[in-house]
Every structure is written in structure tokens, then in C-alpha cells.
Amino acid sequence: MIKKILKPFQEVLLQRKLCVGCTSQLDKADRIGILTKNSDLVECKCKRRYVFDRKLNQYRRASLQEDRQYIKNLKK
Ligand SMILES: [Zn+2]
């Protein structure tokens, strides 16, 4: 039982599709861009960015690299 409690809290929130910062629903967050064929970049109202994997139907934090890729695409 204790192990369950030790599971990273952020991971649990993401599994529930909630922002790790403000716990709002990521399904309602803004889809700000497309990263790849199967993933979208999503920005929460608190400005945290996530990657939504359409295949896995899952959210995860966007890496710095993905963030940069998005900015690069904006400038095109
Ligand atoms: Zn948030």
C-alpha cells in the first residue's frame, strides 16, 4: 500500500488527464500545435505545455526540445 502512495503525484495527475500545476482538465486545454502525426502540443491555461499522444490517449509534459520545435514551426 505504501508503494502506491509513493508513486509520483505528477504521474497520477497526468494519468487522469489533469495539469500537474493547476489540476485543470487537459482535455479542455488549448491545442496549440501539431508535433507529429500522432501527437499534439497542448497548453494549459497556466502556460504549462504538454504533449498529447493520440495513439496512447495520454498526456505527458512537453520536453524542452518539443517546445523549441513548436516555436520553430511558428516562425515558418
Ligand atoms: Zn495548468
Side-chain angles (χ1 to χ4, degrees):
M1 289 303 273
I2 288 164
K3 271 187 183 164
K4 270 188 185 168
I5 296 165
L6 288 176
K7 193 175 182 182
F9 186 54
Q10 290 197 354
E11 208 175 287
V12 175
L13 286 174
L14 283 176
Q15 274 171 7
R16 292 180 188 172
K17 300 183 179 173
L18 300 173
C19 173
V20 301
C22 67
T23 68
S24 58
Q25 285 181 23
L26 289 174
D27 283 339
K28 288 177 185 164
D30 283 336
R31 224 135 278 217
I32 55 171
I34 295 165
L35 273 183
T36 68
K37 216 165 55 175
N38 294 312
S39 60
D40 294 332
L41 196 65
V42 172
E43 189 178 78
C44 182
K45 61 185 174 192
C46 69
K47 301 296 171 199
R48 282 179 176 81
R49 284 178 185 157
Y50 298 89
V51 174
F52 178 64
D53 191 314
R54 269 181 259 163
K55 264 188 185 165
L56 300 172
N57 192 29
Q58 240 173 35
Y59 288 93
R60 60 179 172 80
R61 294 294 299 271
S63 68
L64 200 60
Q65 198 188 13
E66 285 160 341
D67 231 20
R68 283 201 192 117
Q69 190 190 333
Y70 166 68
I71 290 162
K72 210 169 73 187
N73 287 343
L74 272 189
K75 286 174 184 165
K76 265 180 197 167

